């Protein structure tokens, strides 16, 4: 009897407190405007790996030169191409404890944050700095939501690239990298007979990265774009055939002993145990910087099979969160991100091209020189990346992630297509 | 009237100081354990998706959807396999080590510490080491345990570990988990074995019982409470383990568990209601193990 009464008291207490967390989020100070308190700025990113880290540091150095009074707090979270960082960020934003600025992929990845009112409209910075003329129109359109802009793109990355080591191809008697995925499969059989893995692969997101470029190479730009806006049917014969081809391509990869991250997957190409790797152009910064290899002799790159003349883009951008503790300093950071000096300091290190059209071309050599020329070529077709948050919102992408993890194991094409089609309908 | 008030005062005097003493921890537990627990269950009945909290009511829709969800089905199966192999392995290994020490080994204190140390290492660090030990590269990139097998002429033992296509792949993760916790089980059993009074064993021996029978009829029944607590501790660790799987291999559904799915589906795509549903089911899974244990131990305490 005594026990149960005490229990009832405890239960009642607990029940009363359940209501508490639900109503505690109303208090939210407005972050304050720029003033004497802006002596530091906390910038949140996932740039902690080789190549990207050096790029960020170069931009920070330029920022410090222009803003000597502001202490820079680099809140980078490592791992998983940003997946770890995004988790940390989501909890911070919900707790109304935002950093002063955070990194996000330009495109639909930011959609849920805009919807939740987590980021400020920074169109005024675009007007103030004249950025609308400095960034290509296509890019500005892609990041404008209902006439407002919420982020500053620092760079443009290309996803559809096939990396290889010329020495390995020579050894295997292959004269040139494949132009189509069918040609790749033919070469893969030759490579297999010579005990070379045709394609190295890494964790889940690199498998998705491969999938988007197989889809792009086989379906072409219009149908590829249609996959993300509902105009291409995932269950059509053409998509089914492509997905079947994807399973064949994976069959020639080292999926069974896949590397833990994208860098070790590239290492296999460098040391010659694997011939090809499909990865974005951040690989250039890694191969040139951390691995100290020479472009064209130590490593080389072509557009992934079937995607010549197409730029499958993704862009890293920075935001101004609502309630940023040091708003004035954060604005200065964003100005740095959009500045010609900032972009030219960052991009050569990171292995990407600047979003600005007036960047100093002489700073971009080797791979980046050709990439910049292609990005600025009006004939180049531009599509957005799936694995890097441009074309699918977080919910749709999350469901594709899971469906793909099942797909790479059971190779059930019909089931995968059906799951993706359903996920699109539920989350568009 | 004065009678009741004096009774209330007496009761307050008896209860008051004690209640006052425990109230801070009671309030903190109420908020940070039971409050959030209740809130999580509440969220599991909403349609909350994306960054903005939604507190509507959709009934058990999240639960029925989850039971039809292929990834969740894989996860539950994985967890069952892992739990059985991990608990069985740890108990067996822990018990064997305890028996060996009990038989009187030289440098017992040294071995006891050696067996116990892996538990002091965080699961993340354990996972990083075992990620390398369980590497399944072949040919020139052979590494870890496979390399060791190769070097001592046991190359035929080569295994793909957790990357094998078999649906038992997750059993390989019981190796690092068991490595970490069997020392703890050993300590439990050792304490249990030492607690058996020597007189009881002596009495049985005087009556002419062989050692085997002394163990079976005298020592074994007295180890039952230890076995029960070991099973309960291991079972709840197995259900909530996250970091070990997360750090060993990401995006490998063969070692995916409900705890991982809960985290991945909540924080990246923003399926908060689905994540809360998985968390609630995990809670009830753990409660299903722990509540009977508490009930059983309270009852046996009372009987004493």
């Amino acid at each position: 009897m005594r026990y149960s009464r005490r229990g009832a008291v405890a239960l009642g207490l607990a029940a009363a407190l359940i209501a508490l967390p639900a109503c505690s989020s109303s208090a939210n100070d407005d972050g304050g405007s720029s003033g004497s308190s802006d002596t530091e700025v906390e910038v949140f990113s996932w740039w902690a790996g080789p190549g990207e880290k050096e790029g960020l540091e170069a931009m920070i150095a330029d920022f410090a030169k222009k803003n000597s009074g502001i202490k820079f707090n680099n809140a980078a979270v490592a791992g998983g191409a940003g997946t770890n960082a995004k988790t940390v960020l989501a909890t911070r934003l919900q707790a109304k404890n935002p950093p002063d600025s955070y990194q996000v992929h330009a495109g639909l990845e930011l959609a849920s944050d805009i919807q939740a009112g987590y980021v400020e409209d920074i169109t005024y910075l675009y007007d103030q700095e004249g950025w609308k003329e400095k960034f290509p129109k296509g890019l500005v359109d892609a990041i404008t939501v209902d006439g407002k802009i919420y982020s500053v793109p620092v760079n443009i990355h290309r996803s559809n690239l096939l990396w290889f080591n010329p020495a390995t191809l020579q050894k295997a008697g292959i004269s040139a990298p494949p132009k189509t995925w069918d040609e790749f499969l033919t070469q893969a059989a030759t490579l297999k007979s010579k005990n070379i893995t045709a394609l190295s692969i890494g964790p889940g997101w690199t498998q998705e990265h491969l999938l988007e470029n197989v889809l792009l190479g086989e379906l072409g730009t219009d149908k590829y774009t249609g996959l993300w806006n509902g105009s291409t049917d995932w269950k059509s014969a053409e998509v089914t055939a492509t997905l079947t081809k994807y399973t064949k391509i994976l069959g020639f990869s080292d999926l069974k002993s896949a590397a833990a991250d994208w860098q070790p997957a590239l290492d296999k190409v460098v040391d010659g145990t694997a011939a090809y790797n499909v990865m974005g152009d951040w690989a250039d910064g890694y191969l040139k910087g951390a691995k100290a290899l020479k472009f064209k002799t130590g490593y080389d790159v072509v557009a992934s099979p079937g995607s010549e003349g197409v730029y499958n883009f993704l862009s890293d951008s920075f935001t101004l969160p609502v309630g940023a503790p040091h708003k004035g300093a954060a604005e200065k950071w964003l100005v740095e991100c959009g500045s010609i000096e900032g972009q030219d300091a960052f991009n050569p290190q990171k292995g990407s091209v600047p979003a600005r059209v007036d960047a100093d071309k002489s700073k971009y050599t080797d791979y980046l020189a050709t990439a910049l020329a292609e990005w600025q070529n009006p004939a180049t077709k531009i599509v957005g990346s799936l694995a890097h948050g441009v074309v699918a919102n977080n919910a749709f992408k999350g469901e594709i992630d899971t469906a793909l993890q099942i797909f790479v194991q059971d190779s059930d094409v019909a089931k995968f297509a059906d799951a993706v089609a359903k996920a699109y309908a539920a989350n568009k | 009237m004065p009678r009741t008030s004096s009774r209330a005062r007496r009761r307050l005097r008896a209860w008051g100081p004690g209640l006052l003493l425990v109230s801070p921890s009671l309030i903190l537990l109420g908020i940070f354990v039971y409050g959030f627990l209740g809130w999580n269950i509440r969220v599991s009945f909403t349609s909350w998706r994306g960054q903005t909290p939604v507190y509507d009511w959709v009934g058990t829709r999240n639960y029925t959807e989850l039971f039809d969800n292929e990834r969740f089905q894989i996860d539950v199966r994985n967890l069952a396999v892992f739990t059985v192999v991990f608990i069985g392995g740890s108990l067996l290994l822990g018990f064997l080590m305890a028996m060996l020490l009990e038989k009187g080994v030289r440098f017992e204190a040294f071995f006891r510490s050696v067996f116990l140390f892996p538990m002091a290492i965080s699961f993340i660090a354990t996972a990083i080491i075992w990620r390398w030990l369980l590497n399944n590269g072949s040919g020139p990139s052979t590494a870890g345990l496979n390399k060791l097998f190769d070097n001592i002429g046991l190359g035929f033992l080569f295994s793909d570990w957790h990357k094998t296509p078999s649906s038992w792949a997750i059993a390989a993760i019981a190796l690092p988990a068991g490595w970490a916790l069997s020392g703890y089980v050993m300590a439990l059993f050792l304490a249990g074995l030492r607690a058996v009074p020597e007189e009881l064993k002596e009495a049985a021996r005087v009556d002419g019982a062989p050692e085997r029978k002394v163990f079976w009829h005298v020592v074994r029944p007295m180890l039952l409470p230890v076995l029960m607590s070991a099973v309960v501790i291991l079972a709840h660790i197995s259900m909530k383990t996250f970091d070990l799987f997360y750090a060993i291999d990401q995006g490998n559904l063969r070692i995916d568990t409900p705890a991982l799915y809960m985290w991945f589906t909540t924080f990246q795509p923003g399926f908060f209601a689905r994540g809360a549903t998985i968390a609630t089911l995990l809670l009830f899974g753990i409660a299903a193990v722990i509540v009977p244990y508490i009930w059983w131990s309270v009852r046996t305490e009372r009987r004493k």
Side-chain angles (χ1 to χ4, degrees):
Chain A
M1 197 56 206
R2 236 173 54 195
Y3 271 97
S4 70
R5 198 176 301 158
R6 236 186 270 180
V9 170
L11 261 178
L13 201 66
L17 289 162
I18 288 170
L20 215 118
C23 51
S24 66
S25 59
S26 53
N28 175 30
D29 59 316
D30 67 2
S33 53
S34 57
S36 57
S37 71
D38 292 335
T39 50
E40 63 172 324
V41 60
E42 185 192 12
V43 175
F44 190 96
S45 75
W46 55 84
W47 286 333
E52 52 196 29
K53 188 166 155 254
E54 287 83 356
L56 179 61
E57 278 163 3
M59 192 155 62
I60 293 170
D62 187 59
F63 176 77
K65 212 164 61 190
K66 291 180 200 158
N67 304 283
S68 54
I70 300 176
K71 185 172 159 274
F72 192 91
N73 183 358
N74 183 0
V77 174
T83 48
N84 293 356
K86 283 174 205 165
T87 308
V88 176
L89 185 67
T91 40
R92 284 190 63 174
L93 290 176
Q94 271 174 25
K96 307 281 176 199
N97 173 31
D100 293 311
S101 182
Y102 66 85
Q103 180 190 2
V104 70
H105 288 130
L108 285 174
E109 191 177 290
L110 195 58
S112 59
D113 289 7
I114 295 172
Q115 228 171 355
Y118 287 158
V119 282
E120 299 264 18
D121 169 16
I122 51 169
T123 317
Y124 66 93
L125 276 179
Y126 276 73
D127 295 334
Q128 177 194 316
E129 301 289 317
W131 285 338
K132 280 178 181 163
E133 286 71 46
K134 301 295 182 195
F135 297 138
K137 188 176 177 310
L139 181 64
V140 175
D141 287 347
I143 59 176
T144 304
V145 180
D146 296 332
K148 293 170 183 162
I149 307 176
Y150 296 88
S151 64
V152 181
V154 180
N155 63 353
I156 299 294
H157 270 303
R158 189 177 186 182
S159 147
N160 56 324
L161 291 168
L162 186 71
W163 301 87
F164 59 95
N165 180 347
T168 311
L169 293 200
Q170 206 175 15
K171 204 175 71 185
I174 291 169
S175 56
K179 293 259 184 228
T180 63
W181 283 109
D182 285 323
E183 196 186 336
F184 170 85
L185 289 173
T186 317
Q187 289 191 6
T190 313
L191 287 162
K192 195 178 179 185
S193 69
K194 299 201 160 121
N195 249 336
I196 299 169
T197 310
L199 190 72
S200 69
I201 200 135
W205 70 265
T206 68
Q207 296 155 21
E208 194 169 73
H209 187 113
L210 175 68
L211 174 68
E212 75 181 32
N213 288 313
V214 173
L215 287 166
L216 173 64
E218 290 290 304
L219 298 174
T221 51
D222 292 344
K223 283 186 180 140
Y224 171 82
T225 308
L227 289 170
W228 319 118
N229 62 24
S231 65
T232 303
D233 182 7
W234 276 88
K235 290 184 257 186
S236 66
E238 213 174 348
V239 177
T240 306
T242 306
L243 293 174
T244 309
K245 200 165 282 178
Y246 174 72
T247 63
K248 280 190 194 139
I249 293 162
L250 276 187
F252 283 106
S253 77
D254 58 352
L255 182 68
K256 248 185 93 177
S257 50
D261 212 338
W262 64 271
Q263 291 100 333
L266 267 173
D267 289 348
K268 292 184 184 172
V269 174
V270 172
D271 66 26
T273 52
Y276 297 111
N277 182 267
V278 174
M279 191 37 60
D281 54 10
W282 45 93
D284 183 64
Y286 173 69
L287 294 170
K288 202 158 72 175
K291 289 275 147 182
L293 293 170
K294 270 217 144 49
F295 184 56
K296 289 286 173 198
T297 53
Y299 70 100
D300 203 352
V301 64
V302 290
S304 64
S307 68
E308 191 87 41
V310 183
Y311 220 98
N312 188 357
F313 96 98
L314 58 127
S315 169
D316 291 302
S317 62
F318 280 92
T319 58
L320 181 62
V322 170
H326 311 94
K327 195 179 173 197
E331 284 169 345
K332 290 195 180 104
W333 166 250
L334 293 177
V335 168
E336 170 71 22
C337 290
S339 74
I340 200 159
E341 299 84 10
Q343 299 210 339
D344 279 347
F346 176 78
N347 284 299
Q349 298 276 357
K350 174 85 202 283
S352 46
V353 298
R356 288 177 73 114
V357 291
D358 59 349
D360 182 358
K361 275 187 190 165
S362 70
K363 292 207 164 120
Y364 300 87
T365 54
D366 299 340
Y367 160 75
L368 290 176
T370 55
L372 193 59
E374 194 138 357
W375 174 247
Q376 292 174 347
N377 179 358
T380 299
K381 288 184 187 159
I382 294 174
V383 294
S385 159
L386 160 70
H388 305 283
V390 183
V391 289
N393 65 42
N394 295 338
F396 182 33
K397 184 179 169 292
E399 298 294 65
I400 297 178
D401 291 349
T402 291
L404 183 61
Q405 284 173 16
I406 297 173
F407 180 48
V408 296
Q409 286 184 20
D410 68 8
S411 299
D412 188 336
V413 171
K415 196 176 76 188
F416 175 68
D418 187 51
V420 176
K422 276 202 184 113
Y424 176 73
N427 298 295
K428 62 184 166 192
Chain B
M1 230 15 204
R3 198 130 144 250
T4 49
S5 84
S6 81
R7 223 170 78 192
R9 206 179 304 146
R10 214 173 330 128
R11 206 189 281 164
L12 186 72
R13 212 172 287 152
W15 272 73
L19 193 66
L20 208 64
L21 197 70
V22 297
S23 61
S25 74
L26 215 60
I27 290 169
L28 289 177
L29 273 178
I31 299 174
F32 291 108
V33 177
Y34 298 98
F36 285 149
L37 216 139
W39 178 67
N40 178 68
I41 293 174
R42 173 74 187 89
V43 170
S44 77
F45 290 104
T46 68
S47 64
W48 180 0
R49 201 179 67 188
Q51 299 282 18
T52 331
V54 177
Y55 296 102
D56 55 352
W57 184 268
V58 297
T60 55
R61 194 183 75 192
N62 292 320
Y63 291 87
T64 49
E65 272 179 10
L66 201 59
F67 288 126
D68 286 336
N69 183 319
E70 188 180 358
R71 180 166 178 184
F72 189 69
Q73 291 164 359
I74 295 173
D75 291 349
V76 170
R77 195 196 170 279
N78 282 348
L79 184 60
V81 171
F82 178 74
T83 305
V84 168
V85 178
F86 164 62
I87 295 184
S90 301
L91 284 181
L92 197 70
L93 202 64
F95 181 70
L96 283 179
M97 291 193 296
M99 285 302 277
L100 287 177
L101 289 189
E102 170 67 8
K103 290 283 169 240
V105 186
R106 261 175 189 249
F107 313 116
E108 190 206 306
F110 171 75
F111 283 114
R112 214 169 43 205
S113 314
V114 166
F115 291 152
L116 206 52
F117 274 150
M119 201 184 74
I121 301 171
S122 82
F123 261 160
I124 282 282
T126 304
I128 303 283
I129 301 162
W130 281 85
R131 181 165 76 190
W132 179 77
L133 285 174
L134 299 181
N135 187 312
N136 71 336
S138 52
S141 48
T142 311
L145 288 182
N146 286 336
K147 181 86 176 164
L148 179 74
F149 291 154
D150 209 29
N151 286 353
I152 57 176
L154 295 171
F156 60 90
L157 281 176
F158 180 92
S159 169
D160 279 320
W161 306 114
H162 58 285
K163 285 178 176 164
T164 161
S166 153
S167 51
W168 283 80
I170 197 168
I173 310 297
L175 270 169
W179 175 79
L181 280 155
S182 52
Y184 177 63
V185 176
M186 172 214 72
L188 285 178
F189 274 123
L190 199 57
L193 287 169
R194 296 270 153 89
V196 178
E198 198 58 35
E199 302 88 66
L200 277 184
K201 289 194 261 183
E202 277 306 312
R205 285 185 193 120
V206 168
D207 287 347
E211 273 313 298
R212 200 161 37 83
K213 285 203 164 168
V214 172
F215 175 78
W216 191 254
H217 294 290
V218 179
V219 179
R220 185 191 55 96
M222 301 197 74
L223 284 182
L224 195 63
V226 176
L227 180 72
M228 284 294 282
S229 22
V231 167
V232 167
I233 290 166
L234 293 177
H236 95 270
I237 287 178
S238 138
M239 266 185 261
K240 69 183 192 188
T241 297
F242 170 89
D243 33 10
L244 187 64
F245 302 107
Y246 179 84
I248 281 192
D249 195 6
Q250 275 185 42
N252 177 355
L253 278 196
R254 291 185 193 101
I255 62 164
D256 202 49
T257 61
L260 285 163
Y261 188 26
M262 185 262 287
W263 187 83
F264 276 111
T265 202
T266 306
F267 294 106
Q268 285 161 22
F271 291 105
F272 283 86
R274 187 193 292 161
T277 309
I278 300 173
T280 306
L281 289 173
L282 272 179
L283 170 76
F284 284 118
I286 290 171
V289 174
I290 296 212
V291 170
Y293 170 70
I294 293 175
W295 180 76
W296 175 80
S297 55
V298 165
R299 229 184 43 163
T300 44
E301 289 287 308
R302 280 234 190 101
R303 229 186 271 147
K304 280 175 194 167

